[in-house]
Amino acid sequence: MRNTILGISAYYHDSAAALLINGQIAAAAHEERFTRKKHDSSFPSNAVRYVLQEAGVDYKDLTAVAFYDKPFLKFERLLETYHGFSPRGLVSFQSAIPVWIKEKLFMRRLLKDELGTLGDGKVPIYYPEHHLSHAASAFYPSPFEEAAIVTIDGVGEWATTTIGHGQGNEITLLKELHFPHSVGLLYSAFTYYTGFEVNSGEYKLMGLAPYGNPESARLNDFVRKIKTDLVDIREDGSILLNMDYFSYATSLRMVFEDKWEQLFGVPRRREESQISQVYMDMALAIQRVTEEIVMRLCQTAARLTKSKYLVLAGGVALNCVANGKLLRSGMFEDIWIQPAAGDAGGALGAAYAVWYIREGNRRVLNCRPDAMHGAYLGPSFSDREIERILGRYGAVSSYYDSFDELAKLVATRLAEGKVIGWFQGRMEYGPRALGNRSILGDPRNAEMQKKLNLKIKYREGFRPFAPSVLEEDIQTYFELDRPSPYMLLVAPVRTEKRIPAPSDYHEKGLYERLYFLRSDIPSVTHIDYSARIQSVSKDVNPRYWQLIREFKTLTGYGVIVNTSFNLSTEPIVCTPEEAYHTFMQSQMDLLVLENFVLQKDQQPVGFRASTDEGASEPDPDCPYADPRTGDPLVVTATGALNPTTGTRYEIEDGVPRLFLPTEDKELDGANVTDIVRKFYEKTPFPNYDNVDSVRALLQKAGHGLFAQLLNEQIPFDARVVDIGCGTGQLTNFLAIAHRSVLGTDMCGNSLALAHQFAIKHGIDRAAFAQMNLFRPGLRDGFFDFVISNGVLHHTNDPRRAFARISRLAKPGGYVLVGLYHAYSRQLHYARRALFRITGITSRVLDPHFGRVEAEGKREAWFQDQYCHPHESCHTLDEVFSWLEENNLEFVNAIPKPAGGTQLTPDERLFEPKDRGTVISRAWSQLCSLSSGYREGGFFIVISRRR
C-alpha cells in the first residue's frame, strides 16, 4: 500500500504543494505558476490538484496532510508582539485583528474547508513548526547521512533562525533566535529602504551590492552604523536589533524612515527612481553584515554538531553570495542548499517531517546527487498538447523528429546572438529556472546582458545573469571545485578569463562599469568578476546538457546564459500557452517547445504600417486611406500618397499627418474639436513622467485588470486601432506583444511622445497617425478591434463619432468604447464644483492624488479631470441604441447590464453576455455610483459587427 503525504505552505507568500509517495518526491509546484500572481499567498488549490493528478492519487487516498507551520503559535506571537509594543501600532492592530482571527485562529477550519473541495475523506492534518519544516526540507533530501542544519528567514511562529542537527531520520533543533530579532527582516528592511519590494526584491539588493565601492569611506561608515546603531552581532551569530529603528513588528512598513534618514544621511529611495552610488554602497554594506552573521551562525553550528557537512534552508539561504563565501571558507567539507529554500519549500519539508519524524520511517540514501530529481518536479506537456495550443493561435512552427538536429539548430542560433525561449520537460520547483523553463543566450556576446534585461525581461539594467555550464567544465571557467546544480553558489570567474579593470573602475557610474568588458564570457560575469553558477549534469538533464555540449562543439565554450522564462512582472511560465504569450510579448528570437521551433519573424502579423520606398500601388495590408475621399494610400517613410488624386500627406517624426478639420461648432460658436485638440497639445494625457521604460509600462498595465485582459485575449495577429490614443500608452502596451496596433489622435504633441517611446524601446509593431475621428484616414472594414476609451465624450456629437469609428471594424470585428457615465460621474462633478469654489484638492477628495507621485503626471490628471473644456455623459441604454443604429450586436459591458460580479481575472471579454432588462440595467448603473469616487465614473461597452 502506498503511503502518500501532501505538504502545503500558504497564507504568507509563495504558497506551494508537494507530494511524497513512500518517502520519495512525486511532484511539487508553486501556486503562482498556475494563478499567474507573482508570490501568490492563497491556498494552493491548483498546485494541490496538480501534484495529486501527477501521481494518480485521489484526495481520499492520502495518508496525511502536513501544513508548514503552527497557526496557533503564530497567532500567539502576533498578539504578544502588539502587547509588548503597545500603545504603538494600536490602529494597525485594530484593522488587522479580524483578518488574523480568520486566517490564524481558525486556520484549521479554513484548511479543512479548502481541502474539502478536493474530495471526500477524513485525512489527518499535521502542523510541524515553520523552521522544522525548513530544516526537514534541507536535510532529508540532501545527500548526507548526518549534517548540521541552519535555517534563516524572516519569521515563522516565533523563531527567525535555528541551528539543528540531522542524523538518519531524526532532526534535533539546538538553538533558536526569536522574533523580532531576525536576519531576514534586517535584510528586508534594507531591501525596502533601497527602493525594492519586500519578499521579492531581496535578490535585487544582493545583485546591486557588487556595485558598491569596496574602497570608499562611506561603505565603511555604513557598516559601522549598521553594527553599532541597528544590530548587535554576538559571537555565536545571534543578533539583537535596535527596534527603535524598525517598525515591522507593529505596522505594514519596515522601518522608521525619518530615523534611518537621520542615521544614513539619505532618504528612502523611491521605487523606479534612479539608483545613485549611495544606495549601491548601502547594499554592499548590508550584504557584508549579512555574510558576517551567516558565517558566525554556521561556525556555531559546526561547533555544536561537530559535523563535516551543512545543509541550509529559509529565505536567507537563497543569498548565493553568502553561500559561496561559506563554501570557500572551508568550514565544512560540503554544503547542500534546498533549491526551494523559501516558504514554498516548507510544503516539502512539512511532508518530510510527517514521513520521518511523525511516522518514524527509516531514511535510506539511494538517490544521487540528492533526492530532488534536479528540482524538475512540476508539470510537463505532450507534443499533442503543444500542437493543439499552437494551432489555436495560428502560430507558425517547425517540428524536429531528431533532437540532435534540434540541438544543433538552437546552438547555431545562440552563437549568432539570438535569444531563445527554452521549454522542456517538467517545470522547476523553487525560484530558479534550471534549463526547463529558461531563456538562453550567448555568454560571449557583450550586448547580451543589456538585451536580456531591457528587451526581453523588461527589468532593471544592472541585474546579473547566471551561466549554465557543463558539470565537467566548471573549473575551466570558475573557481569552484564541485557541482552547483541549483544556481545557489556564487564563485569567482577564473583569473585567466578576466580582463583587468581600469584603475578608476569604482569611480565610474553604474552603467559605465556594467558595460565594461570584464571577461571572455561578459554576459555572465558580474561587476565584481563573480558568477552565480548552475552546473548541468548529463544524468540529471540530458537534453539541456546536450544543447550546451553542441554550443561547445560550435564555439569552444561549454557555457551559456540562463535566466528564468518570464517577464519581470510575471511568474515563471508553466504551460506552452504561457511560454508562447511571453515569447510574443518580448523580443525573443526563437521559442523551442519540446521539439517544436517557432521563429519570431515567421509569426503572422496584423498589418503593415508602411511599404517600401518607391511603391506605386497601395498595399492591401496597410490601414491608411485618404481622409477626404477614402481612397487607399501608398505610405512610405517619407509621405502618404493618394495615387488616384495625387494628394500627398506629410510624415513628420514618423507620424503621418492626416488630420482634417470638421465643422462642429456648438460651444459658444467655437469648434469643439479644435478646442479639445489645443487643450491636449498643451497638456498631453496620460503623461509619461513615471513611465519611462517598458517595465514601468507593464507595471502600470498590471494595476489595471481590463488592460491585462485585453492583452491576454486579443489575438497576436489581430489588426487593432486605438482611436484617441493620447500619448499611446495602451497602443504601446498592446504592441509589445508583437501585435500590429495603430494609435490615432488629433494631438500632435501626444503622438510625438507615443512615437518616441515606441522608437526608444524597440516596439516596432506600434504605429501612430494624426487624424480627426470624424474624418479618419483609415480604411473602413479593416480592423479586428476598434478601441476608443475615454474619447467620444470629448466630442460635440458622440453618437455620430461612434457611428464613424464603428465602420472601421470588419464583419465579425469588435468595437470597444469607454464613456463617462451619467450616474457615477455625478460624484466627480460634486468634487469638481468644490474645487472650483474653494480651490482645494487632496487625496481625501480624489484618491488619485495620493497614488500618483510624479508631479507632471499628477498635473496631467488634474487638467484632464478638473479643467477639461468639454465632456458629456451617457448611459448603457443610450449606447445600446447606437449599436442597433450601426448594425452591431452587444457582447459585454462593465458594469454588467444583468448585474453580478463586474470584472474578474478569468473574465472572457469577448464572449457574449446577457444584456439584462431595463430594470437590471438601471440597478446595475445605480450600483456603479461608488465607482465615480475611485475612477471618475466610467463604463465600457463591447460590441461586434454583424
Side-chain angles (χ1 to χ4, degrees):
M1 182 177 176
R2 295 198 299 178
N3 184 309
T4 53
I5 301 172
L6 172 66
I8 293 173
S9 64
Y11 304 123
Y12 185 47
H13 60 93
D14 292 316
S15 296
L19 187 71
L20 295 182
I21 298 180
N22 296 332
Q24 301 299 311
I25 309 171
H30 299 237
E31 182 68 5
E32 66 165 15
R33 311 289 169 84
F34 302 94
T35 63
R36 312 310 298 157
K37 298 176 183 176
K38 210 165 185 179
H39 306 294
D40 194 347
S41 62
S42 62
F43 181 82
S45 55
N46 296 285
V48 169
R49 287 187 175 91
Y50 156 67
V51 298
L52 294 177
Q53 181 181 11
E54 179 70 29
V57 174
D58 290 332
Y59 176 75
K60 62 181 174 58
D61 297 325
L62 286 172
T63 306
V65 173
F67 187 71
Y68 82 134
D69 67 12
K70 290 185 178 295
F72 285 169
L73 271 181
K74 185 168 283 189
F75 186 69
E76 174 190 85
R77 189 252 300 169
L78 292 168
L79 289 178
E80 289 197 21
T81 297
Y82 270 93
H83 178 264
F85 283 90
S86 64
R88 187 197 300 174
L90 179 60
V91 174
S92 172
F93 174 78
Q94 289 174 329
S95 62
I97 193 66
V99 178
W100 291 350
I101 289 174
K102 176 185 176 183
E103 294 188 355
K104 303 295 187 291
L105 193 59
F106 295 110
M107 177 71 75
R108 293 173 185 266
R109 180 187 300 174
L110 186 62
L111 279 173
K112 288 181 178 179
D113 290 345
E114 293 283 5
L115 292 168
T117 65
L118 301 172
D120 297 329
K122 294 184 177 179
V123 181
I125 305 175
Y126 299 101
Y127 299 87
E129 289 192 28
H130 183 96
H131 274 264
L132 178 59
S133 295
H134 276 318
S137 77
F139 177 62
Y140 291 126
S142 78
F144 308 135
E145 175 65 31
E146 68 84 30
I149 306 170
V150 175
T151 67
I152 316 171
D153 68 0
V155 63
E157 297 86 5
W158 278 105
T160 63
T161 297
T162 66
I163 294 173
H165 190 206
Q167 289 182 296
N169 69 346
E170 297 181 353
I171 289 176
T172 305
L173 296 183
L174 305 172
K175 293 276 188 179
E176 286 189 353
L177 179 67
H178 282 186
F179 185 86
H181 308 292
S182 165
V183 183
L185 291 175
L186 171 65
Y187 202 82
S188 291
F190 279 87
T191 300
Y192 170 81
Y193 203 74
T194 51
F196 303 116
E197 188 174 349
V198 173
N199 289 331
S200 65
E202 283 76 7
Y203 57 94
K204 298 181 186 180
L205 183 65
M206 181 180 68
L208 184 64
Y211 293 90
N213 185 347
E215 301 169 357
S216 73
R218 179 167 58 198
L219 172 68
N220 295 329
D221 183 54
F222 280 172
V223 171
R224 179 184 59 79
K225 287 178 176 177
I226 292 170
K227 293 169 68 171
T228 56
D229 292 83
L230 297 185
V231 57
D232 178 11
I233 306 173
R234 304 298 173 87
E235 186 177 351
D236 63 356
S238 61
I239 64 170
L240 288 175
L241 295 181
N242 182 353
M243 295 310 294
D244 290 339
Y245 285 89
F246 299 91
S247 58
Y248 58 75
T250 55
S251 79
L252 298 178
R253 293 195 174 190
M254 293 300 298
V255 303
F256 294 109
E257 292 184 26
D258 54 344
K259 291 186 177 182
W260 277 55
E261 184 173 351
Q262 185 177 2
L263 178 64
F264 292 110
V266 290
R268 173 178 169 249
R269 187 181 78 86
R270 299 303 166 188
E271 188 177 2
E272 300 300 329
S273 65
Q274 186 175 358
I275 303 175
S276 60
Q277 185 62 45
V278 65
Y279 296 105
M280 303 177 213
D281 291 343
M282 186 176 287
L284 181 55
I286 189 58
Q287 177 64 31
R288 286 189 172 180
V289 170
T290 302
E291 291 167 7
E292 178 182 344
I293 296 169
V294 170
M295 294 292 283
R296 291 192 184 192
L297 285 168
C298 293
Q299 286 171 343
T300 302
R303 176 174 55 80
L304 292 174
T305 65
K306 305 296 190 293
S307 178
K308 298 178 181 179
Y309 304 104
L310 172 71
V311 295
L312 297 168
V316 177
L318 294 171
N319 193 310
C320 48
V321 178
N323 297 341
K325 291 185 177 179
L326 178 62
L327 179 65
R328 290 192 297 278
S329 73
M331 194 183 306
F332 296 91
E333 285 188 13
D334 204 358
I335 67 174
W336 190 88
I337 306 144
Q338 167 55 240
D343 277 8
L348 177 61
Y352 267 130
V354 171
W355 172 254
Y356 284 116
I357 299 173
R358 168 74 187 180
E359 299 188 358
N361 289 293
R362 181 167 169 261
R363 181 168 177 251
V364 179
L365 294 180
N366 57 5
C367 297
R368 290 291 174 182
D370 54 45
M372 289 296 297
H373 306 292
Y376 306 114
L377 299 169
S380 62
F381 297 86
S382 68
D383 283 350
R384 178 173 295 182
E385 289 173 299
I386 294 171
E387 189 172 26
R388 185 169 61 248
I389 289 168
L390 295 179
R392 186 191 314 155
Y393 286 100
V396 178
S397 65
S398 301
Y399 184 83
Y400 284 75
D401 292 310
S402 166
F403 184 76
D404 292 347
E405 293 301 316
L406 173 64
K408 289 177 182 177
L409 169 74
V410 176
T412 301
R413 295 293 180 264
L414 284 171
E416 293 170 352
K418 305 298 185 185
V419 176
I420 305 208
W422 182 255
F423 183 104
Q424 303 287 315
R426 296 184 72 177
M427 181 181 69
E428 297 89 341
Y429 178 52
R432 309 297 185 207
L434 302 172
N436 279 10
R437 301 291 187 275
S438 292
I439 298 173
L440 310 178
D442 183 349
R444 305 168 305 151
N445 189 321
E447 295 294 316
M448 187 56 62
Q449 181 186 23
K450 183 176 182 180
K451 183 177 182 180
L452 286 171
N453 270 327
L454 302 182
K455 304 294 186 182
I456 309 296
K457 303 280 283 187
Y458 304 125
R459 69 184 196 182
E460 301 92 343
F462 71 84
R463 301 270 295 279
F465 289 101
S468 288
V469 59
L470 297 175
E471 186 175 274
E472 57 269 31
D473 286 354
I474 292 176
Q475 293 189 70
T476 303
Y477 304 97
F478 310 106
E479 295 177 6
L480 183 65
D481 61 356
R482 67 201 69 199
S484 173
Y486 301 122
M487 211 182 283
L488 288 171
L489 294 172
V490 164
V493 173
R494 293 191 70 88
T495 304
E496 59 268 28
K497 295 287 182 182
R498 301 182 189 183
I499 299 172
S503 57
D504 61 346
Y505 187 56
H506 294 296
E507 279 69 53
K508 293 181 179 293
L510 185 154
Y511 289 102
E512 285 184 276
R513 283 177 284 164
L514 175 62
Y515 299 132
F516 170 75
L517 203 65
R518 291 178 292 279
S519 76
D520 63 351
I521 46 173
S523 289
V524 294
T525 303
H526 203 14
I527 197 166
D528 59 351
Y529 292 94
S530 67
R532 176 166 51 94
I533 299 160
Q534 180 206 359
S535 58
V536 181
S537 165
K538 184 178 181 180
D539 295 331
V540 176
N541 195 334
R543 285 168 75 99
Y544 194 37
W545 182 92
Q546 183 175 343
L547 171 62
I548 302 172
R549 179 69 185 179
E550 288 292 346
F551 185 76
K552 180 180 179 181
T553 300
L554 189 64
T555 67
Y557 284 75
V559 57
I560 61 176
V561 182
N562 174 17
T563 186
S564 57
F565 200 148
N566 63 297
L567 305 183
S568 64
T569 56
E570 299 175 344
I572 296 173
V573 300
C574 176
T575 68
E577 183 171 22
E578 291 155 9
Y580 180 69
H581 271 265
T582 302
F583 170 65
M584 294 300 289
Q585 291 185 84
S586 70
Q587 295 184 36
M588 270 184 272
D589 301 295
L590 269 76
L591 171 62
V592 182
L593 299 170
E594 297 294 346
N595 283 31
F596 292 88
V597 177
L598 293 81
Q599 299 187 55
K600 180 66 67 65
D601 57 11
Q602 294 180 357
Q603 301 312 304
V605 297
F607 62 76
R608 288 188 289 273
S610 64
T611 56
D612 295 334
E613 201 68 43
S616 58
E617 295 295 325
D619 184 339
D621 290 325
C622 184
Y624 296 114
D626 193 322
R628 291 185 173 87
T629 65
D631 297 328
L633 295 177
V634 177
V635 181
T636 65
T638 57
L641 175 70
N642 183 335
T644 303
T645 65
T647 304
R648 182 177 179 82
Y649 298 90
E650 296 302 317
I651 293 180
E652 298 177 10
D653 300 322
V655 177
R657 306 296 177 170
L658 304 177
F659 181 86
L660 291 180
T662 51
E663 295 298 325
D664 58 349
K665 295 181 180 179
E666 183 181 275
L667 188 65
D668 297 329
N671 186 298
V672 174
T673 300
D674 194 50
I675 290 172
V676 174
R677 182 173 63 85
K678 289 179 179 177
F679 173 79
Y680 283 121
E681 292 284 5
K682 183 178 179 182
T683 311
F685 182 81
N687 186 280
Y688 270 95
D689 268 17
N690 63 341
V691 185
D692 59 354
S693 66
V694 172
R695 169 185 165 80
L697 184 62
L698 291 172
Q699 285 182 324
K700 178 180 179 181
H703 295 311
L705 181 56
F706 185 70
Q708 293 179 58
L709 293 174
L710 284 179
N711 192 42
E712 291 170 6
Q713 296 174 31
I714 294 178
F716 295 115
D717 61 349
R719 296 172 170 180
V720 184
V721 63
D722 183 7
I723 302 290
C725 69
T727 55
Q729 291 187 7
L730 180 62
T731 301
N732 277 320
F733 169 63
L734 294 176
I736 290 170
H738 204 65
R739 242 183 235 105
S740 297
V741 188
L742 174 62
T744 75
D745 202 89
M746 61 182 173
C747 174
N749 287 346
S750 296
L751 292 169
L753 288 173
H755 182 67
Q756 289 165 13
F757 185 91
I759 294 298
K760 178 180 178 181
H761 299 291
I763 308 175
D764 55 8
R765 291 294 173 190
F768 298 93
Q770 185 180 21
M771 59 185 66
N772 184 340
L773 65 81
F774 287 103
R775 302 180 71 176
L778 299 171
R779 295 185 181 188
D780 287 342
F782 183 86
F783 293 96
D784 300 292
F785 292 84
V786 177
I787 301 172
S788 186
N789 218 2
V791 177
L792 304 189
H793 49 235
H794 291 315
T795 68
N796 77 310
D797 190 346
R799 176 184 174 189
R800 183 163 64 93
F802 179 84
R804 184 61 194 92
I805 68 169
S806 67
R807 284 159 45 192
L808 301 173
K810 63 174 60 172
Y814 295 89
V815 180
L816 294 79
V817 292
L819 296 161
Y820 287 145
H821 196 278
Y823 299 175
S824 54
R825 190 67 173 165
Q826 299 309 311
L827 288 175
H828 177 77
Y829 288 149
R831 190 165 51 200
R832 182 191 291 189
L834 183 61
F835 161 70
R836 288 178 174 173
I837 293 170
T838 65
I840 296 173
T841 62
S842 72
R843 68 180 61 193
V844 176
L845 291 175
D846 190 334
H848 199 82
F849 285 102
R851 292 195 297 265
V852 180
E853 292 183 356
E855 185 176 346
K857 184 170 180 60
R858 189 163 56 242
E859 175 63 20
W861 164 264
F862 175 78
Q863 291 292 327
D864 184 72
Q865 290 295 303
Y866 287 88
C867 304
H868 204 287
H870 180 77
E871 69 178 52
S872 56
C873 294
H874 307 274
T875 65
L876 278 173
D877 286 289
E878 181 184 2
V879 177
F880 281 2
S881 70
W882 298 353
L883 304 187
E884 296 300 325
E885 293 169 0
N886 292 282
N887 197 31
L888 297 166
E889 58 186 9
F890 170 76
V891 175
N892 202 350
I894 305 164
K896 299 291 178 61
T901 305
Q902 294 306 318
L903 198 62
T904 62
D906 58 355
E907 172 84 31
R908 306 307 299 174
L909 289 177
F910 304 106
E911 289 182 1
K913 305 296 190 301
D914 186 354
R915 62 187 293 159
T917 64
V918 173
I919 294 174
S920 71
R921 290 195 294 271
W923 176 249
S924 176
Q925 293 173 96
L926 284 171
C927 290
S928 73
L929 272 168
S930 62
S931 73
Y933 181 72
R934 298 191 307 273
E935 302 161 12
F938 210 70
F939 74 108
I940 295 170
V941 175
I942 302 173
S943 58
R944 183 174 178 270
R945 179 163 291 287
R946 293 187 175 96

